[in-house]
C-alpha cells in the first residue's frame, strides 16, 4: 500500500496535499535509485505521468518543481481510471534517465 509518509493525516485530511506527499516520496526514491546507478534525477530525460484524477496535476507538478527546479523532463500526462499498482496511490510515473559517461 501507500507508504505512511506519502499519506495525508487522516485526522487532518485537508491540511496537506496527498498528491504532493506522494510525489515527494516518489522523488526521494527516484533520487536514491539514480544515485545507486551512478546518476541523478537531474538526468531524467523523459517522463510519463499517470493520474487517477487530473485535478491533482498542478499540485503534482509543483512538487516536481520543488524537487528539480526547472529540470523537469519532457512529459506526457494522461488520466487513467485506476486503480494504480500501489493501492491508495493516485499518481504514477514511468521515467527514462541517462548515466553520463566519463570523457
Amino acid at each position: 500500500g501507500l507508504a505512511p509518509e506519502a499519506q495525508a493525516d487522516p485526522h487532518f485530511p485537508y491540511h496537506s496535499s496527498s498528491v504532493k506527499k506522494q510525489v515527494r516520496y516518489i522523488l526521494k526514491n527516484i533520487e536514491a535509485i539514480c544515485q545507486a546507478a551512478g546518476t541523478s534525477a537531474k538526468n531524467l530525460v523523459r517522463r510519463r505521468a499517470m493520474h487517477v484524477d487530473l485535478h491533482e496535476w498542478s499540485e503534482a507538478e509543483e512538487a516536481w518543481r520543488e524537487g528539480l527546479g526547472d529540470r523537469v523532463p519532457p512529459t506526457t500526462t494522461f488520466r487513467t481510471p485506476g486503480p494504480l499498482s500501489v493501492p491508495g496511490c493516485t499518481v504514477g510515473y514511468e521515467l527514462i534517465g541517462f548515466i553520463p559517461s566519463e570523457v
Side-chain angles (χ1 to χ4, degrees):
L2 197 56
E5 70 186 88
Q7 296 176 20
D9 184 335
H11 301 292
F12 300 99
Y14 304 108
H15 184 67
S16 64
S17 167
S18 175
V19 73
K20 276 188 172 181
K21 289 183 126 196
Q22 290 176 55
V23 171
R24 288 177 185 138
Y25 180 78
I26 290 167
L27 280 169
K28 182 179 87 170
N29 285 306
I30 290 168
E31 190 58 48
I33 292 166
C34 287
Q35 291 288 323
T39 190
S40 158
K42 291 182 179 175
N43 291 326
L44 294 173
V45 295
R46 189 79 181 103
R47 176 177 69 146
R48 264 178 48 151
M50 298 153 277
H51 289 269
V52 173
D53 181 355
L54 284 176
H55 289 100
E56 294 181 339
W57 177 81
S58 65
E59 288 185 274
E61 290 301 294
E62 280 180 37
W64 271 89
R65 294 202 188 295
E66 288 169 8
L68 295 180
D70 61 358
R71 300 276 309 175
V72 176
T75 305
T76 301
T77 302
F78 62 93
R79 183 189 150 308
T80 184
L84 296 176
S85 57
V86 175
C89 192
T90 61
V91 63
Y93 297 97
E94 179 182 299
L95 304 163
I96 299 172
F98 72 95
I99 300 171
S101 63
E102 295 183 40
V103 181

